[in-house]
Amino acid sequence: MKLKLNAPRVRRDPYPTFAHLREHDPVHRVYRPMIGVVSYLSRYDDVSNAFRDPRLANGRASVGDGKGTPKWLPSSLRPFIDSMITADGAAHRRLRALVQVAFTPRRIEALRSSVEAVIEERLDVLATNASRGRAELIEDFALPVPLRIISEMMGVREEDQRGFHTLTNRFMELADKGIPGLVMGARNTIKLISFLRRQVAEKRSRPGSDLVSALLQAEADGERLTDDEVAAMIFLLLLAGHETTVNLLGNGVLALLDHPGELAKLREDPTLIDGAVEELLRYANPVSQVSPRHARETFELHGRMIRRGEMVMPLIAAANRDPRAFERADQLDITRTPNRHLAFGLGVHYCLGAPLARMEGKLAINALLRRFPEIELRVPRGRLQWRRASLIRGLRELPLRL
Ligand code: HEM
């Protein structure tokens, strides 16, 4: 079977494909032009081991065969390729340490009232649009809530926030094609570069109380970050800060509508929200796969060879539905315990923004259910469209009647 994660049928429902891979082809090797061989892992144990396997590196350069980021690549493109998420070892620790402090549960808790205020404002927009028969959860609510919060943390002006999302939306589609995608989408890439440069220049000339200004001030191991490193950090945090949580809210609400019994339980007892958000993360997989790993040495897994320098792709969404790890894995159960899902990854690259995503998810979903006692789809279920980017699993639109 050839894996076509972007085929419309698979985007609509990837889980039968994932089940097939888990059972029959747990190390699914694909040759991708200009990228090379990629091995897709789909079983829970394999995916969770991959996160902590010292034979796998996040950065291509860490393989140590001299084939890191290509030399011909213009340096302006480096912020998209060399960042915390593609760094290993000490280089990764250095970058992560600089921003970690802004994402601790305590610091995130301090943002609660700002998050609540944005949620209330967007619920008003939903209500207004609903009265005109055109409420749409993604555009009115699921996207603007996380986009506004991470943008405020980073000091991005309100008028620039939507424009950044339009660029990342395209970037995510191009990212499926690896480095060649950046070149193919040159216009989009150039706009992103100039957006990032403008953010750095503005904060350098007029520092504020935001995270970017703090980064420009910060000393890491006695060294300052270069402008490219700051640009890479802005890009990663802004992108990861909203292109993920939007899908927790969108896919999460859809999953609840698909399971009226679970929705009724949560409406009746909003204190179930902690477990509900964990289960929505597992079941609805806002992030479908992680950034590729690179084999530092040749090894065998389930009878398949993974050769030094080749890519390994852990499919979180497949692992999170593995019946070896979860009873009734394909069913939503908001009271599931234990729930050791892999939605935020594991190990040293474990999601930095998990406390923020969890807080936004809990507050937003409970507030939505409180404000609108009846929610239903405004279009037939089969007509919903999914975004074309294999890294994430997200709806283009979720039209609702409230
Ligand atoms: C529901 C929402 C989210 C999900 C499902 C999610 C998922 C993930 C996953 C699976 C990883 C691991 C990537 C890897 O191992 O290659 C990750 C890393 C990361 N996430 Fe999230 N994320 C979410 C929200 C956020 C938010 C709100 C932020 C805020 C800035 C964020 C920032 C990051 C960063 C910076 C990393 C890289 C950490 C590192 O390399 O050490 N994420 N996320």
Side-chain angles (χ1 to χ4, degrees):
M1 189 189 71
K2 195 159 184 289
L3 183 64
K4 283 200 175 142
L5 290 174
N6 260 332
R9 180 183 51 85
V10 180
R11 261 188 287 140
R12 246 190 330 272
D13 182 8
Y15 296 106
T17 304
F18 291 154
H20 179 91
L21 290 179
R22 278 191 312 261
E23 289 320 304
H24 305 290
D25 198 5
V27 182
H28 178 73
R29 284 166 64 80
V30 178
Y31 177 78
R32 296 183 50 201
M34 295 195 274
I35 293 179
V37 174
V38 185
S39 294
Y40 288 85
L41 309 184
S42 46
R43 290 190 182 163
Y44 182 92
D45 283 350
D46 296 334
V47 171
S48 63
N49 289 338
F51 284 123
R52 290 168 296 193
D53 190 335
R55 296 171 303 184
L56 296 174
N58 276 36
R60 181 63 183 81
S62 308
V63 172
D65 58 359
K67 293 190 195 153
T69 310
K71 297 261 183 307
W72 52 264
L73 198 78
S75 68
S76 54
L77 293 183
R78 284 183 189 269
F80 305 116
I81 294 151
D82 297 331
S83 71
M84 178 191 335
I85 211 156
T86 53
D88 293 288
H92 170 254
R93 284 193 293 278
R94 164 180 177 257
L95 292 172
R96 185 156 170 139
L98 281 164
V99 284
Q100 179 90 56
V101 57
F103 290 91
T104 58
R106 243 182 64 214
R107 288 288 286 275
I108 294 305
E109 189 51 39
L111 297 175
R112 177 181 285 265
S113 56
S114 317
V115 176
E116 284 170 338
V118 178
I119 288 172
E120 286 309 311
E121 188 190 311
R122 299 312 305 185
L123 288 175
D124 291 344
V125 174
L126 258 182
T128 307
N129 286 343
S131 67
R132 297 175 186 145
R134 43 168 214 253
E136 198 281 284
L137 192 87
I138 306 297
E139 181 69 30
D140 295 346
F141 186 70
L143 175 66
V145 171
L147 179 61
R148 182 96 74 78
I149 297 300
I150 191 67
S151 300
E152 283 174 6
M153 289 176 79
M154 306 292 286
V156 177
R157 283 198 297 245
E158 198 170 339
E159 62 269 28
D160 292 334
Q161 296 174 8
R162 272 309 304 227
F164 177 75
H165 168 69
T166 307
L167 296 173
T168 53
N169 185 22
R170 180 88 184 106
F171 178 89
M172 304 275 284
E173 290 174 0
L174 294 165
D176 276 349
K177 299 187 173 66
I179 292 176
L182 285 177
V183 180
M184 278 154 55
R187 262 165 62 108
N188 197 69
T189 307
I190 289 166
K191 284 187 190 163
L192 266 175
I193 294 167
S194 70
F195 171 89
L196 296 172
R197 289 201 172 142
R198 200 159 29 112
Q199 299 304 311
V200 177
E202 277 179 16
K203 300 294 179 262
R204 226 186 245 303
S205 62
R206 266 173 288 123
S209 56
D210 54 85
L211 190 49
V212 177
S213 304
L215 277 174
L216 288 166
Q217 295 291 318
E219 299 269 343
D221 292 338
E223 277 173 78
R224 276 176 198 272
L225 288 172
T226 65
D227 279 7
D228 272 354
E229 285 176 320
V230 177
M233 193 71 96
I234 299 174
F235 180 64
L236 173 65
L237 295 180
L238 279 180
L239 181 136
H242 84 282
E243 287 285 15
T244 51
T245 312
V246 56
N247 306 323
L248 169 59
L249 304 182
N251 305 358
V253 169
L254 179 63
L256 289 169
L257 293 175
D258 283 342
H259 296 83
E262 298 302 291
L263 174 58
K265 263 195 243 167
L266 182 57
R267 279 194 183 283
E268 210 163 284
D269 182 1
T271 65
L272 295 178
I273 192 67
D274 290 2
V277 163
E278 296 312 307
E279 178 66 347
L280 293 173
L281 284 160
R282 181 195 74 83
Y283 179 88
N285 291 299
V287 171
S288 187
Q289 61 190 44
V290 285
S291 49
R293 281 11 187 198
H294 305 271
R296 285 184 156 118
E297 56 186 84
T298 299
F299 62 96
E300 195 187 318
L301 185 62
H302 301 303
R304 291 287 176 100
M305 294 310 288
I306 295 175
R307 297 204 162 71
R308 184 175 186 211
E310 285 180 1
M311 278 189 192
V312 173
M313 195 70 91
L315 293 171
I316 311 180
N320 276 342
R321 296 283 193 101
D322 188 345
R324 293 167 190 79
F326 302 97
E327 272 174 40
R328 294 168 292 103
D330 280 325
Q331 281 177 33
L332 184 79
D333 171 2
I334 63 166
T335 55
R336 182 184 292 277
T337 39
N339 189 348
R340 294 170 54 224
H341 66 73
L342 300 175
F344 289 125
L346 274 182
V348 293
H349 290 276
Y350 182 81
C351 178
L352 177 82
L356 177 58
R358 285 187 163 117
M359 182 171 81
E360 290 177 346
K362 289 176 202 174
L363 293 175
I365 291 173
N366 262 355
L368 180 79
L369 300 186
R370 204 166 47 236
R371 174 79 78 98
F372 303 108
E374 278 172 39
I375 303 179
E376 52 186 30
L377 281 183
R378 188 157 55 75
V379 294
R381 174 71 168 78
R383 289 249 299 275
L384 294 175
Q385 303 263 327
W386 296 86
R387 285 178 61 187
R388 252 188 92 83
S390 28
L391 192 70
I392 52 157
R393 174 151 180 78
L395 288 158
R396 283 186 198 281
E397 292 186 338
L398 187 56
L400 296 178
R401 200 170 295 119
L402 300 167

